[in-house]
Amino acid sequence: MAEHKNISAKILVVDDEPNVLRMVSYALQAEGFEVVVAQNGNEALIKVLTEAPDLVVLDVMLPDMSGAEVCEQLRKKQETIDLPVIMLSALAQVSDKIRCLEAGADEYVTKPIAPEELLARIKALLARFRQVRRSLPKQPGKVLGFIGAKGGVGTTTVALNVASALVEQEKSVVAAEIRSSYGTFSAQLNLVQPQGLVRLLEHDPGKIDAREVRLRLADLPSGLRLLVGPQCVAEYRGMESKQVEAIIQIIGSMVDYAILDLPCYSSDANQAAIRCCDMVALVVEPESTALASGIVAVEQMKSWGVYGKRLGIIVVNRAPLAIPINLDQLKTMLEHEIIGVIPTAAEALITSQREGLPVILYQPNCDVSKAYIDITKRISASAGWIR
Ligand SMILES: Nc1ncnc2c1ncn2[C@@H]1O[C@H](COP(=O)(O)OP(=O)(O)OP(=O)(O)O)[C@@H](O)[C@H]1O
Ligand SMILES: [Mg+2]
């Protein structure tokens, strides 16, 4: 028989009954497990992300939603798709069990349960899960970099809207500002954010792990999570390539899509970030200075090994143009596919920014939103993006 005695793990116990929480936590802690608790479904959904438990003991009847609904939500997200879940219920009806098992629970036990039995089930499930996980390499998420041909061309606006559109497609997404100086996610979304990237950069690359990264992410109500860059000069930090690689690799392993907002200057750290990308979208404006910078940027990407299907061009018309742009000419100049053209939308962007929302969430039916959504569809449908 397998030996499960000293398996160490963090367990999230979800129950609205303080007595059950106390009893189960005590039994688990006595066996050396680390325990975190939640008293309703929403708190549980937050804690699975911020605490990264190894297993969840989930009550079926919670005040805000059913345990089965919590379980369904967990199964929809890349980072919790296979998180072991034991449902704990006072209901012994076969139909209740079936509902929970269909929602993705691994086990269903009825209360009252002897603590020894619950412990034995937890240990067996953890051991089985770890064995399966070892034999199945996890498919990492896609890493998409957005980089401007020069500053101020609309790159961050594209990155945040594409990231939000992917969330609308029920993908798990982290958008990260990987830059050593000022990042505008907070300004665009009206957020007062704790330090994100800056705190991660305090660590040696080997010390940056999934738990540390999760702690530094900001959760938006839409479901999008952000790693916010420096917010003032005092937070400007040099970044080592190895730190950047560690952060991107961890984010990529947590989600379906990592969206990187990258600076347009050349540096070792930026090169490292770009090398981590499955695809890079270069954002240009159809005006001569931005296009000249675009040509140089394409040259730079090529020298870093990013070209062909790994590189796409997004054209942003920040100002209305008297002369329409010729996309074929642009494609020839920049030698790469145009994956989208964003129309002028100063007003829609200003009003959505005032509300702290990406425009695709605030005015999903306006032309600029449709353009961001189209780009997102092309991005998610593209099979050609390989490392
Ligand atoms: N399609 C558009 N039409 C009109 N204005 C736009 C459009 N896209 C972006 N803008 C505006 O352009 C300004 C710069 O946008 P954004 O911050 O996204 O650019 P950036 O390239 O990320 O800049 P930075 O180099 O500072 O990071 C913002 O005020 C934004 O609202
Ligand atoms: Mg920007």
Side-chain angles (χ1 to χ4, degrees):
M1 217 183 110
E3 179 56 73
H4 310 312
K5 182 110 185 68
N6 294 321
I7 198 159
S8 79
K10 189 193 252 195
I11 314 287
L12 173 63
V13 184
V14 190
D15 206 304
D16 56 331
E17 282 275 338
N19 283 341
V20 176
L21 279 185
R22 211 170 308 124
M23 191 271 285
V24 176
S25 304
Y26 179 77
L28 290 171
Q29 279 160 345
E31 281 290 303
F33 288 110
E34 188 182 346
V35 178
V36 276
V37 299
Q39 291 189 297
N40 58 53
N42 273 316
E43 195 186 345
L45 289 170
I46 292 169
K47 288 210 167 147
V48 290
L49 299 175
T50 54
E51 297 285 346
D54 299 290
L55 182 146
V56 184
V57 176
L58 184 57
D59 184 27
V60 171
M61 296 229 265
L62 295 167
D64 53 347
M65 60 180 91
S66 73
E69 281 170 292
V70 174
C71 202
E72 261 164 10
Q73 297 284 332
L74 295 177
R75 296 307 180 231
K76 280 187 190 157
K77 293 206 161 78
Q78 174 79 11
E79 41 300 45
T80 53
I81 200 162
D82 54 1
L83 177 62
V85 174
I86 298 181
M87 303 288 282
L88 202 54
S89 172
L91 308 169
Q93 298 272 348
V94 173
S95 57
D96 296 316
K97 289 187 190 172
I98 291 175
R99 165 88 185 94
C100 292
L101 294 170
E102 280 178 350
D106 297 280
E107 298 228 13
Y108 184 102
V109 295
T110 34
K111 293 191 248 185
I113 182 171
E116 303 79 20
E117 184 187 337
L118 183 60
L119 280 168
R121 286 180 184 274
I122 288 173
K123 288 179 189 174
L125 184 54
L126 278 175
R128 201 162 69 230
F129 176 71
R130 285 180 181 175
Q131 216 160 15
V132 171
R133 200 164 237 201
R134 263 196 297 273
S135 59
L136 288 176
K138 190 174 176 318
Q139 189 73 22
K142 288 206 159 46
V143 179
L144 312 178
F146 290 82
I147 185 161
K150 67 182 186 70
V153 289
T155 308
T156 301
T157 312
V158 178
L160 283 175
N161 278 283
V162 168
S164 304
L166 286 166
V167 172
E168 290 285 285
Q169 292 178 6
E170 306 236 315
K171 304 292 183 208
S172 60
V173 186
V174 166
E177 293 183 304
I178 306 291
R179 48 200 310 140
S180 48
S181 56
Y182 186 57
T184 58
F185 278 3
S186 288
Q188 292 216 9
L189 299 171
N190 285 341
L191 305 171
V192 180
Q193 283 309 319
Q195 293 165 324
L197 179 71
V198 178
R199 297 297 300 276
L200 290 180
L201 294 174
E202 288 167 2
H203 301 286
D204 289 336
K207 291 267 160 56
I208 301 174
D209 59 17
R211 197 155 289 167
E212 189 62 35
V213 171
R214 280 204 178 96
L215 276 176
R216 302 300 162 210
L217 297 179
D219 293 310
L220 299 187
S222 65
L224 177 62
R225 283 180 295 156
L226 301 177
L227 182 67
V228 172
Q231 294 300 296
C232 58
V233 176
E235 291 181 0
Y236 288 10
R237 294 277 182 286
M239 301 189 292
E240 282 174 36
S241 301
K242 291 260 179 263
Q243 289 176 308
V244 166
E245 283 161 5
I247 294 167
I248 297 173
Q249 201 199 350
I250 289 167
I251 295 176
S253 71
M254 285 165 41
V255 290
D256 297 319
Y257 287 93
I259 301 294
L260 310 182
D261 184 0
L262 301 169
C264 51
Y265 47 77
S266 163
S267 69
D268 287 349
N270 207 23
Q271 177 178 353
I274 281 164
R275 281 187 195 277
C276 292
C277 293
D278 295 292
M279 190 194 184
V280 175
L282 178 69
V283 181
V284 300
E285 261 190 288
E287 74 55 51
S288 56
T289 323
L291 287 179
S293 309
I295 292 169
V296 175
V298 168
E299 198 186 328
Q300 175 83 87
M301 294 298 146
K302 279 195 203 161
S303 75
W304 288 346
V306 177
Y307 50 86
K309 285 201 156 71
R310 265 182 86 189
L311 184 61
I313 309 295
I314 295 176
V315 182
V316 177
N317 291 294
R318 288 196 317 132
L321 289 178
I323 316 156
I325 40 161
N326 181 325
L327 289 182
D328 287 334
Q329 249 175 348
L330 251 177
K331 191 175 153 183
T332 311
M333 276 169 80
L334 298 171
E335 302 173 358
H336 285 80
E337 282 298 322
I338 312 286
I339 57 173
V341 179
I342 308 293
T344 309
E347 219 164 287
L349 290 172
I350 288 169
T351 41
S352 65
Q353 200 168 314
R354 212 172 280 152
E355 296 300 317
L357 285 172
V359 69
I360 70 126
L361 298 183
Y362 188 60
Q363 291 180 38
N365 295 319
C366 71
D367 286 350
V368 72
S369 297
K370 286 183 186 153
Y372 291 128
I373 292 165
D374 273 355
I375 289 178
T376 309
K377 283 188 188 143
R378 286 194 69 170
I379 285 174
S380 49
S382 175
W385 305 359
I386 26 159
R387 230 164 266 218

